[in-house]
Amino acid sequence: MPKLNHLLYLQRCVELAEFARNSGNCPFAAVLAGPDGTILLERENSEITDGKCTGHAETMLMEAASQMYPKEFLWECTLYTTAEPCAMCAGAIYWGNVGRVVFGITEKRLAQLTGQGPVQPAFDLPCSEVFARGKKPIKLIGPFPEVEEATVSVLNGFWKTSQGEYRQIRRISSVG
């Protein structure tokens, strides 16, 4: 596997996260790079606009990847993501068989930005703990201080107003 420039892929994740935010979704994104460094898939969070609780970028990416590529190939790939994957996304990555995960900021740093209010009741469960319970040696790389400022700027203010109040985050489309 060639040496990949992790920062380039993480910067692409930040660009996609900004697109997700501008589209009304939580500002997260993921990129799947093949063994040769080619970008195979990109996904941004679509939880709000799709009204899908599993609409996290990493899970959406793994759903698509598992339908397109054999598990043996995915093991040689790298998944890049703006923030350390949550427990659900770590499970999707594990079952999808991606062998390496690279993230921009930690789950702890993300919790500092989101708080623990009603719209973001996150787990306090780093993906390293999820992966450690499995039988595969998934390589985890991160965080990257070089992309923290850009990542935080996209995430900042999404969950809380400048007065510290939690925003109402609702599905944009209506059922009917």
Side-chain angles (χ1 to χ4, degrees):
M1 179 182 292
K3 183 169 171 56
L4 302 178
N5 184 341
H6 299 315
L7 292 177
L8 291 176
Y9 299 99
L10 290 171
Q11 288 164 348
R12 178 63 183 151
C13 288
V14 171
E15 292 169 5
L16 292 167
E18 188 168 0
F19 178 80
R21 182 178 180 148
N22 292 338
S23 299
N25 286 299
C26 296
F28 299 104
V31 168
L32 183 68
D36 65 354
T38 302
I39 292 179
L40 303 173
L41 288 169
E42 299 178 331
R43 291 292 185 273
E44 60 272 345
N45 189 298
S46 65
E47 180 183 0
I48 296 168
T49 55
D50 288 350
K52 186 176 179 183
C53 66
T54 57
H56 293 195
E58 303 93 332
T59 296
M60 301 288 289
L61 186 140
M62 289 312 304
E63 286 177 8
S66 67
Q67 293 174 337
M68 297 172 68
Y69 303 105
K71 285 189 173 197
E72 297 78 20
F73 177 76
L74 288 172
W75 183 252
E76 302 301 322
C77 293
T78 303
L79 186 144
Y80 291 88
T81 182
T82 45
E84 184 177 359
C86 72
M88 174 183 71
C89 292
I93 293 164
Y94 180 87
W95 292 114
N97 209 46
V98 167
R100 181 164 58 178
V101 176
V102 179
F103 60 91
I105 65 171
T106 65
E107 170 263 340
K108 294 271 188 222
R109 179 67 176 113
L110 177 61
Q112 291 171 349
L113 298 168
T114 63
Q116 287 295 317
V119 295
Q120 189 65 15
F123 283 103
D124 181 12
L125 181 61
C127 67
S128 59
E129 292 184 31
V130 176
F131 294 151
R133 301 294 192 280
K135 308 246 187 280
K136 303 175 199 179
I138 295 173
K139 186 171 184 176
L140 191 59
I141 305 171
F144 281 78
E146 302 91 333
V147 297
E148 181 175 356
E149 184 179 336
T151 303
V152 168
S153 72
V154 174
L155 296 168
N156 230 356
F158 185 81
W159 291 274
K160 286 184 178 182
T161 67
S162 58
Q163 292 80 33
E165 299 292 320
Y166 284 97
R167 295 185 188 280
Q168 291 296 318
I169 299 175
R170 294 191 181 111
R171 184 174 174 192
I172 293 174
S173 59
S174 61
V175 178

